Amino acid sequence: MSLHTAITVPFVISVGLFFFVCGFFGNIFNIFTFLKSDINNPSIVLLFTSSCFSLIYLLDGLLTRVLAVGFGIDPTRTNLIWCKTRTYIGQTSSLISLTCICYAWCDQLFLSCQKQKYRRLSHFNRTKVAILCIILFWLVYHIPFYVLAQHVSSDNQTYICNVYAQYEFNKYFSYFHQPIIAAIIPIVFIIVIGILIYKNVSLLRINHRRERAQRNLTSMILVQTIFIIIQTIPYGFFSMYLAVTSYGFKPAYRKDIEAVITNIVSILYYFSHSFSFFIYYISSSTYRQQAKQFFIRMNTFHANRIFVQTTSNSN
């Protein structure tokens, strides 16, 4: 029995499906909960946007990976347009979601400042413009991913969807995009901003100017960024390892081990996208109240609908 059959397939099916189900419903709950809250709050609209693109990322990336690796259903092998589209959407939605979290961290930094001129940088209209710029930037940035993604012949006489076919772009993707843009830069940025926020918050606590709702938002973003760092570190380091060793000779058993680790690390990279609802629910009492109200409204609506149907049928 190969490592793929013994380890990869069961792991991807069990863990991948669990992640997807939690993330699919969790992000939907996030979206509706944020819509029912103060959507004019810059941090909330950033978390709302992040949840929307996390949902897209799960549908485009995680679900298709589970179907391909776990069940052998992979349309990217036969449909070049879908091969290009999946690559483009997956890369774009992931970094849009991550960048919104980073900007939400910046928004918390603005609000934690003592000087009014810095707190004014946290503004709803400014945030809307920033979100639009973030989306447009990553849409344009990832156009080469769509153009260069193509079918490449694999060892078993079939085709796989691959963005590494062009040697120059492969070097850029392996040595810069994956380890630097998708891993190191976000981690360093989050850590630096987090240190600055901690210093500012310490001063605000002394002056008793820290509102409860704002503390809850900071807690939500802080806990999520911690999980982003935890999931990104192995992904970034393993991407750098694959880049460094990509052109050397590798025996078959080593390729099998690397393929298993690649799938495991890739699935775990979806953690913060899949469990953001639970992260927010645990870290924020305000979010818990809003989520409970949303569940109550859903149950009430469902009960009223059943009552109306029962009444109409009896008549």
Side-chain angles (χ1 to χ4, degrees):
M1 182 182 293
S2 65
L3 290 175
H4 176 78
T5 305
I7 300 177
T8 304
V9 174
F11 180 84
V12 170
I13 292 177
S14 57
V15 178
L17 280 178
F18 178 68
F19 275 30
F20 175 75
V21 172
C22 291
F24 179 78
F25 290 105
N27 279 293
I28 289 177
F29 286 138
N30 285 342
I31 291 169
F32 281 103
T33 302
F34 289 138
L35 283 174
K36 294 296 183 180
S37 60
D38 185 11
I39 196 63
N40 291 325
N41 184 302
S43 291
I44 289 179
V45 75
L46 284 162
L47 296 179
F48 168 80
T49 307
S50 177
S51 295
C52 291
F53 282 96
S54 287
L55 182 60
I56 296 172
Y57 184 46
L58 291 171
L59 290 168
D60 178 82
L62 181 56
L63 180 60
T64 55
R65 178 177 286 273
V66 170
L67 292 175
V69 178
F71 301 98
I73 304 172
D74 189 4
T76 62
R77 291 177 175 267
T78 56
N79 190 319
L80 182 58
I81 298 299
W82 175 238
C83 162
K84 292 175 175 289
T85 303
R86 178 184 178 272
T87 302
Y88 180 74
I89 293 176
Q91 294 287 338
T92 304
S93 58
S94 171
L95 286 179
I96 290 176
S97 177
L98 178 59
T99 309
C100 286
I101 295 296
C102 291
Y103 192 79
W105 213 216
C106 282
D107 185 70
Q108 293 301 303
L109 176 62
F110 299 150
L111 291 171
S112 67
C113 292
Q114 288 189 308
K115 293 185 178 180
Q116 185 67 25
K117 65 177 182 179
Y118 295 126
R119 291 202 299 275
R120 286 175 182 169
L121 294 175
S122 174
H123 192 275
F124 179 67
N125 290 332
R126 189 189 302 271
T127 302
K128 287 194 299 183
V129 174
I131 290 173
L132 179 61
C133 292
I134 289 170
I135 294 173
L136 290 176
F137 173 80
W138 289 122
L139 286 174
V140 173
Y141 171 85
H142 284 104
I143 288 176
F145 289 73
Y146 181 89
V147 174
L148 296 176
Q150 57 186 280
H151 285 149
V152 177
S153 180
S154 62
D155 296 335
N156 55 357
Q157 303 301 318
T158 59
Y159 290 100
I160 59 173
C161 182
N162 199 326
V163 75
Y164 319 117
Q166 295 289 333
Y167 176 76
E168 291 78 10
F169 187 74
N170 182 22
K171 290 195 298 183
Y172 171 79
F173 184 85
S174 301
Y175 288 94
F176 186 75
H177 176 83
Q178 288 287 78
I180 306 299
I181 291 182
I184 294 177
I185 290 178
I187 290 176
V188 173
F189 180 87
I190 287 170
I191 291 175
V192 171
I193 297 297
I195 293 173
L196 295 175
I197 290 176
Y198 177 78
K199 291 181 178 180
N200 289 344
V201 168
S202 299
L203 295 174
L204 290 177
R205 284 174 179 169
I206 296 174
N207 296 327
H208 303 289
R209 289 166 48 189
R210 186 88 170 142
E211 296 182 2
R212 179 171 176 266
Q214 199 58 48
R215 290 199 303 268
N216 277 276
L217 272 174
T218 304
S219 298
M220 290 167 61
I221 300 170
L222 172 62
V223 176
Q224 186 173 20
T225 51
I226 290 174
F227 282 104
I228 289 174
I229 292 173
I230 294 173
Q231 75 182 24
T232 303
I233 287 175
Y235 180 80
F237 275 106
F238 192 68
S239 296
M240 286 189 285
Y241 161 78
L242 291 178
V244 171
T245 63
S246 59
Y247 296 104
F249 172 77
K250 297 180 182 180
Y253 75 89
R254 183 176 171 184
K255 291 181 179 179
D256 290 340
I257 294 174
E258 289 179 354
V260 171
I261 297 175
T262 298
N263 279 287
I264 292 175
V265 170
S266 298
I267 293 295
L268 295 178
Y269 188 69
Y270 291 93
F271 185 90
S272 67
H273 299 280
S274 298
F275 295 98
S276 58
F277 170 78
F278 303 99
I279 292 171
Y280 297 154
Y281 192 87
I282 293 172
S283 60
S284 170
S285 58
T286 302
Y287 186 84
R288 284 196 296 273
Q289 295 173 359
Q290 294 171 342
K292 289 176 182 177
Q293 292 173 2
F294 174 69
F295 290 136
I296 292 172
R297 284 195 296 267
M298 284 185 59
N299 291 330
T300 303
F301 174 78
H302 184 64
N304 291 337
R305 187 175 180 182
I306 293 177
F307 176 76
V308 171
Q309 290 178 347
T310 304
T311 305
S312 61
N313 291 335
S314 61
N315 293 335

